[in-house]
Amino acid sequence: MADKKARLTVDGLEEAIELPVYSGSEGPDVIDVRPLTGKGLFTYDPGFVSTAACESKITYIDGAKGVLLHGGYPIEQLAEKSDYLEVCYLLMNGELPDAEQKEKFVNTIKNHTMVHEQMSHFFNGFRRDAHPMSIMVACVGALSAFYHDSLDINDARHREVCAYRLIAKMPTLAAMCYKYSIGMPFQYPRNDLSYAENFLQMMFGNPCEEYVPNPVLAKAMDKIFLLHADHEQNASTSTVRLAGSSGANPFACIASGVAALWGPAHGGANEAVLTMLEEIGDESRIEEFVAKAKDPNDPFRLMGFGHRVYRNFDPRAKVMKATCDQVLAELGIEDEPLLKIAKRLEQIALEDEYFVARKLYPNVDFYSGIILKAIGIPTSMFTVIFAMSRTIGWISHWSEFHSSPNKIGRPRQLYTGPSAREYDN
Ligand code: SDX
């Protein structure tokens, strides 16, 4: 029930239009603009800068303060005290698991990590140098072909099983993409390892010897998964919700999220940051690239900087930067040149009026690539790692959408094309 009202006066309308205003538990009030349609009016908001497309209880972001909460828990505390699978449970259920619930959840995920053996044949249709994101879009969508036993989207148990399957199988598919690209055999998952250890094993293990995971790298990998898990109504999550609103198969919906994430303005930025840092190559060239980023006639943007919501530091970037220092130190990588360039670039940008005026700060993608590179993951796999991590966010929002009465998403438009005219050819 609305606790406030907005009144809109429009030239040409005799009476003001009364619109309900709702308050959430956190964040700005929202104006319910649905009555406008009955008055022959639409709202206009390209890029959905000022549009709340749904109600959600999963994640909250305060962009001005640089706050990110999952189920009310600050990301900094989760990054320090929790782990990825525990955060997956939190995002799916709204509460942290107790010890028994966590053990059951971890074991359930372990029992779903293998993919159907037929999946391996999909890879042979791709060139070895195909971008792994193109393979992921194809393979995640193809999962639809294998799981006909859990596709009733109105059945909460089916939705839960789909979530388990996706959380468990994304690392397996991701590692298969990498192995295929280097001509090595696929590694089967191992149930004696943790989620992050198992991913590293499938990425870097081989049939000729026992793989012993490095605890430092496994911990860093788990933190990267955790920091990318969910982020409210970002472009790819909104895509998954919209695809889900048509009643599409959950695996197809997640494939649409993988596709949307791929863009360099979104999840593809982590790969673009590394490419940019390598192109800069030396601290002496930073000013040149900052000037390009500021030039309105140059399409170049400082990748890893800026955010639609954060007008302050992205709290994930802060944790990622600290993790970067830890991982490099623990690996004995002293003078990582890309890290030096990144830190200098951040310092220059944060002192530059152009970036300050536009509140452009490093985002989650700015430092993640340096850690992934230190772990030995090739740049082309960076967005695949993001997609794997974000799968829990996508499927949690998809499930939230289907757990209450819903409608197909169908935005309208401001039409500026030709009015009706007679065919006169
Ligand atoms: C992610 O939404 C999410 O939550 C996403 C994400 C998640 O977890 O899901 O956080 C993950 O996608 C992080 C963002 C990764 N993308 C990049 O790092 C690419 C570089 N950044 C941008 O392209 C940009 O900042 C966006 C896309 C992130 C945000 O774009 P907006 O909100 O549409 O802002 P804008 O394009 O309107 O920019 C406002 C101004 C413009 O200048 P003016 O026209 O006012 O003069 O800031 C400028 C832009 O030109 N600007 C930049 C810039 N980002 C914005 N200028 C130089 N370099 C940049 N990076």
Side-chain angles (χ1 to χ4, degrees):
M1 191 57 191
D3 43 15
K4 298 176 195 165
K5 297 280 185 197
R7 285 164 194 79
L8 182 66
T9 58
V10 180
D11 292 347
L13 288 186
E14 285 178 17
E15 292 176 7
I17 304 169
E18 199 168 82
L19 301 171
V21 176
Y22 308 123
S23 301
S25 47
E26 293 283 353
D29 288 350
V30 297
I31 300 173
D32 184 343
V33 294
R34 287 173 289 188
L36 291 181
T37 311
K39 304 290 183 184
L41 293 166
F42 294 153
T43 58
Y44 183 61
D45 183 18
F48 307 120
V49 178
S50 304
T51 294
C54 63
E55 177 185 344
S56 180
K57 301 181 187 315
I58 298 171
T59 289
Y60 173 70
I61 302 172
D62 182 325
K65 296 177 185 162
V67 168
L68 169 57
L69 307 177
H70 291 318
Y73 297 99
I75 190 68
E76 297 87 346
Q77 293 180 31
L78 292 171
E80 186 189 338
K81 300 172 184 171
S82 186
D83 61 44
Y84 179 67
L85 285 186
E86 185 172 78
V87 170
C88 286
Y89 184 98
L90 171 63
L91 292 168
M92 281 178 69
N93 299 289
E95 296 294 338
L96 288 168
D98 60 28
E100 186 184 342
Q101 289 166 329
K102 180 167 181 186
E103 185 184 3
K104 184 171 178 238
F105 184 74
V106 170
N107 288 333
T108 300
I109 297 301
K110 278 188 180 186
N111 292 329
H112 284 284
T113 49
M114 289 179 75
V115 293
H116 194 292
E117 200 61 15
Q118 290 292 101
M119 289 292 292
S120 59
H121 300 310
F122 283 116
F123 288 78
N124 295 333
F126 289 96
R127 288 171 36 147
R128 294 278 178 175
D129 63 352
H131 194 292
M133 281 297 279
S134 61
I135 303 176
M136 284 300 280
V137 171
C139 286
V140 174
L143 286 172
S144 315
F146 292 91
Y147 300 110
H148 301 285
D149 63 337
S150 62
L151 294 181
D152 177 357
I153 58 177
N154 299 307
D155 180 330
R157 177 61 185 153
H158 281 206
R159 294 199 298 269
E160 189 181 39
V161 171
C162 280
Y164 294 151
R165 282 176 162 148
L166 281 157
I167 296 165
K169 297 179 193 309
M170 289 297 271
T172 309
L173 289 174
M176 289 170 79
C177 289
Y178 174 60
K179 286 299 194 188
Y180 184 73
S181 74
I182 56 174
M184 285 191 68
F186 299 136
Q187 284 286 104
Y188 285 106
R190 275 175 44 187
N191 289 348
D192 61 318
L193 298 176
S194 73
Y195 191 84
E197 289 171 339
N198 187 33
F199 174 65
L200 292 174
Q201 180 273 133
M202 292 188 289
M203 283 284 289
F204 302 119
N206 67 64
C208 309
E209 58 197 10
E210 178 80 6
Y211 179 83
V212 179
N214 174 321
V216 171
L217 300 189
K219 185 163 176 278
M221 201 72 250
D222 191 83
K223 193 166 285 188
I224 285 186
F225 293 153
L226 187 155
L227 290 170
H228 287 84
D230 187 48
H231 212 237
E232 196 209 73
Q233 305 308 322
N234 57 84
S236 53
T237 301
S238 300
T239 301
V240 170
R241 277 183 172 258
L242 193 57
S245 75
S246 75
N249 171 302
F251 300 101
C253 294
I254 300 304
S256 74
V258 176
L261 185 78
W262 195 1
H266 190 13
N270 56 13
E271 178 178 351
V273 166
L274 247 290
T275 305
M276 176 186 73
L277 292 175
E278 286 165 347
E279 194 182 345
I280 292 173
D282 182 274
E283 289 185 54
S284 63
R285 296 194 62 202
I286 290 176
E287 296 287 354
E288 173 195 335
F289 280 80
V290 170
K292 276 170 63 69
K294 291 160 59 177
D295 179 353
N297 301 313
D298 189 326
F300 173 78
R301 287 196 163 181
L302 223 44
M303 303 314 282
F305 267 78
H307 198 276
R308 170 61 58 77
V309 177
Y310 289 122
R311 295 307 182 215
N312 196 322
F313 259 89
D314 179 336
R316 302 167 298 175
K318 283 185 180 176
V319 178
M320 204 72 85
K321 185 176 177 180
T323 305
C324 195
D325 287 336
Q326 281 163 15
V327 170
L328 294 183
E330 283 162 341
L331 290 177
I333 302 174
E334 300 296 323
D335 57 346
E336 165 55 65
L338 296 179
L339 179 61
K340 286 168 72 176
I341 293 172
K343 287 187 171 179
R344 182 75 187 113
L345 181 57
E346 176 186 356
Q347 187 184 10
I348 291 174
L350 295 183
E351 291 164 359
D352 185 294
E353 177 49 31
Y354 173 94
F355 292 87
V356 173
R358 292 166 177 79
K359 299 185 187 303
L360 302 176
Y361 292 88
N363 58 49
V364 68
D365 294 309
F366 190 60
Y367 284 104
S368 57
I370 297 172
I371 304 172
L372 293 172
K373 180 175 179 287
I375 292 173
I377 293 172
T379 307
S380 63
M381 282 290 293
F382 287 6
T383 312
V384 173
I385 306 285
F386 196 151
M388 279 174 46
S389 312
R390 184 54 57 85
T391 295
I392 180 57
W394 292 332
I395 200 68
S396 298
H397 281 273
W398 174 84
S399 192
E400 180 180 62
F401 175 86
H402 283 297
S403 57
S404 56
N406 57 68
K407 297 168 77 68
I408 188 168
R410 206 277 187 220
R412 302 306 302 273
Q413 62 180 6
L414 170 65
Y415 176 69
T416 54
S419 299
R421 52 184 170 170
E422 292 302 310
Y423 180 81
D424 56 5
N425 242 2

